[in-house]
Amino acid sequence: MVHGEVWTIKELFVYPNEYIYWTVQIVMYPFMTGLVAGAFVLSSLYHVFGVKQLKEISRFSLVFSFALLPVALLPLLLHLQQPLRGIEVMLTPHFTSAIAAFGIVFSVYGLIVASELWFVYRRYFVETALALREKAGRSLAENIRYRLYRLLTLGAYDLSEQAQELDDKAVKILAGAGIPVACFLHGYAGFIFGSVKANALWMTPLMPVIFICSAVVSGIALCILTYIVTMEIRKLIVAWRRKPLPVLPLSEELKSAEIQVVTMTTRYLVMFMVLAITLELLDLIFRGYTAVKSWDILRSVIYGRDFFNIFVLQYGLGNLVPFVLLLLPRLTIRRAILATTLVLLGVFMMRWNVVIGGQAFSSSFAGYMHYQLPIVPHDWETFREGLCGALMVGVAPFILFWLLCKIFPVFDCPESE
Amino acid sequence: MMKRREFLKHAITVVAGLSLPLAALRIVQPERLFAGQEDLRWIFLVDTHKCVGCGFCVRACKIENEIPYDANVTRTWVERYVVTTDGETFADTPIGARDGFTDRRIDLGEGKFKEIKDEEIEKAFFVPKLCNQCDNPPCVQVCPVGATYRVPDGVVLVDRDWCIGCGYCIMGCPYGVRFFHPVYRVAEKCNFCYHRITKGLKAACVDACPFGARLIGNARDPNDPVTKTVLAGRVGVLKDEYGTKPWVYYLGLSKEVR
């Protein structure tokens, strides 16, 4: 069977070689990179612009952004027909292609996040390494931890006031440099689509900007959501541990701190949402107003076949409902959870409607293609380009985040300033 | 310390060693080797008036280029257009017209067919399609690893050993001529039967067409019959608006053709 035939249903006049070649993994790719970029921008709001209220979530989102980073690669590798040759993009980049820049942008961004993380956590590394060094009779696990942290300090044990000031300065510079690079990383994912002149739905210079805005929206939403979830777990743990140890903070105290952070962060979320929706609607209106050759088929896809996906799931449930939920006074944690989950759904549907919607019609402009997501896999192809593959990509960053939290504690960490 | 004589000897060795691989790189440049002729640019002419939709070209192409016969992809195909008296256009290409058009009804996909009565037909015709070997090929532009490239004689080729199978070229082609080869799992497309035309043979579809609807020639040769027709005749190309500068010319192209 030809690649794409399993999940493509053709209707009316479609060229014989046309199938839905870019499937759910290509939906996951901009979704995941969007989360990376968005999480980073959120952490930079504190480091660069000194938004003090975001201090707690900024450290959290930085680590989360780092956890998401390798996962952004995964969907790309999973969709390649020759995944073992994927490295060629880095080795022999063909620079007229938007994808060729991937290796460079991705590595630069990875280095920036990694080094920022190092400067943020340097004091912690040094202190942990020193504390473990002092300890006599280390167990095997402690020995491994000691070696790891000693390695992570990179030999820089200086914790003088001057050195720490320099650290903060470095964090500020890296966070500042990271914002344009994060935007570029994601804007260029938008460029990959926006520059395909053969695809009437994708081709618009607005695509990179729309992608960046929705990326920030999704990144902030996910950070809020994960933040709430981890805080709730913390509260449970604290309540459980408080019984023998009454010195620990009350869960009520944690709760008030939590809602304050969440309320503050949602303001930025709403701001970026307005920007993203404005641009998306501008694009839609512009297409209808100019009504070029492709508009007839686009209209039938947007207002007909994909109406539910676009107007109900994406704009309605994903944008309008959370917008109202977040703007209503006296935000509660429960409402924030619902709103951010819906925002994430909205951004995911936006990616879906761009990637799958862009292939819902034939280049002949006289036929349609339907995508049927493989749910139960019956071979490797339907696994990786089906629901299972997408879920795998979706779950991976949380596992990585959990692992990273073991090395970079997000909460119980001494203040670096 | 090194003696001056020794230093000079080493310097010469290093310079010679450095210059040799550079020179070697220029020698093995493949396009210079195989297709560097200034006086050659492949050009294709399709006379739609002569096409009867028998599908011989599609069959010949599949066999010649080892595209699995029953796979629903093809390097070349034939489309049928039927325009009714009330101005409606119907088009289809059942399995790329590999078996010709054996059913009078229009294939609407999903197992549905449209019956059009003879008296309702205003006009009907066939249009063969193949890669346009564009002068400004979007597929070459978007390939992230340079696995697809245009040789100076105009043909766009795919390196099966280098393609990573990302599908960006398939997305970039407005003509839908590209697909994934079911066996090699890399991008695949028509290349005017490059292995044949470089040996003085004609493309398989050209040889297979019993009516001379498909012709291949050299645009740099003013006496070539194809070149003469394209220059002097009233020809059209497909999807001019994309700026791809296609080199497959059509005689008798109608506005309904997609």
Side-chain angles (χ1 to χ4, degrees), chain A residues 5 11-12 15 17 19 22 79 81-82 85 88 92 94 96-97 192 197-198 293 359 363-364 381, chain B residues 72 74 79 108 140-144 160 162-166 168 171-172 184-185 239 241-242 258:
Chain A
E5 209 176 345
E11 193 189 337
L12 301 173
Y15 295 136
N17 297 329
Y19 293 100
W22 282 3
H79 111 279
Q81 289 290 293
Q82 300 284 349
R85 297 182 190 166
E88 284 169 15
T92 58
H94 182 236
T96 57
S97 168
I192 289 177
K197 62 182 170 189
K293 193 178 173 184
Q359 299 170 81
S363 320
S364 69
E381 197 164 276
Chain B
N72 280 324
T74 176
E79 294 166 1
L108 298 179
V140 172
Q141 184 188 31
V142 300
C143 178
R160 279 182 185 163
W162 210 248
C163 173
I164 61 172
C166 67
Y168 205 12
M171 292 295 150
Y184 301 106
R185 312 191 73 79
K239 301 191 182 182
E241 67 273 19
Y242 288 100
R258 305 291 191 149

Side-chain angles (χ1 to χ4, degrees), chain B residues 66 79 116 121 198 225 239:
Chain B
E66 291 173 339
E79 294 166 1
I116 302 172
I121 298 174
T198 44
K239 301 191 182 182

Side-chain angles (χ1 to χ4, degrees), chain A residues 206 210-211 213-214 273-286 314-315 319 346-347 350-351:
Chain A
L206 280 182
I210 292 177
F211 263 54
C213 290
S214 52
M273 258 173 86
V274 172
L275 206 61
I277 300 167
T278 311
L279 286 169
E280 280 166 41
L281 289 179
L282 172 66
D283 181 52
L284 191 63
I285 293 167
F286 201 80
Q314 184 189 330
Y315 287 120
N319 289 338
V347 175
M350 180 255 170
R351 310 287 192 235

Side-chain angles (χ1 to χ4, degrees), chain B residues 133-150:
Chain B
Q133 319 293 355
C134 306
D135 255 354
N136 182 21
C139 53
V140 172
Q141 184 188 31
V142 300
C143 178
V145 295
T148 187
Y149 53 97
R150 187 179 164 276

Side-chain angles (χ1 to χ4, degrees), chain A residues 1-3 5 9-22 26 79-83 85-100 191-193 195-200 202 293 359 363-366 370 381 384, chain B residues 71-75 77 79 81 91-93 95-96 107-110 112 129 136 138 140-146 148 160-168 170-180 182 184-186 239 241-244 258:
Chain A
M1 210 154 193
V2 179
H3 179 76
E5 209 176 345
I9 301 171
K10 296 182 176 188
E11 193 189 337
L12 301 173
F13 180 51
V14 178
Y15 295 136
N17 297 329
E18 278 185 307
Y19 293 100
I20 309 251
Y21 286 105
W22 282 3
I26 301 298
H79 111 279
L80 288 186
Q81 289 290 293
Q82 300 284 349
R85 297 182 190 166
I87 190 71
E88 284 169 15
V89 177
M90 311 246 188
L91 299 180
T92 58
H94 182 236
F95 282 113
T96 57
S97 168
I99 298 181
F191 188 87
I192 289 177
F193 293 99
S195 63
V196 177
K197 62 182 170 189
N199 192 303
W202 292 346
K293 193 178 173 184
Q359 299 170 81
S363 320
S364 69
F365 295 160
H370 302 281
E381 197 164 276
R384 66 197 174 107
Chain B
N72 280 324
V73 281
T74 176
R75 286 178 167 212
W77 67 95
E79 294 166 1
Y81 289 85
D92 70 345
T93 170
I95 46 171
D107 183 357
L108 298 179
E110 295 181 300
K112 287 182 215 145
K129 293 268 183 89
N136 182 21
V140 172
Q141 184 188 31
V142 300
C143 178
V145 295
T148 187
R160 279 182 185 163
D161 294 329
W162 210 248
C163 173
I164 61 172
C166 67
Y168 205 12
I170 302 178
M171 292 295 150
C173 176
Y175 305 100
V177 300
R178 283 180 171 251
F179 54 93
F180 281 128
Y184 301 106
R185 312 191 73 79
V186 289
K239 301 191 182 182
E241 67 273 19
Y242 288 100
T244 51
R258 305 291 191 149

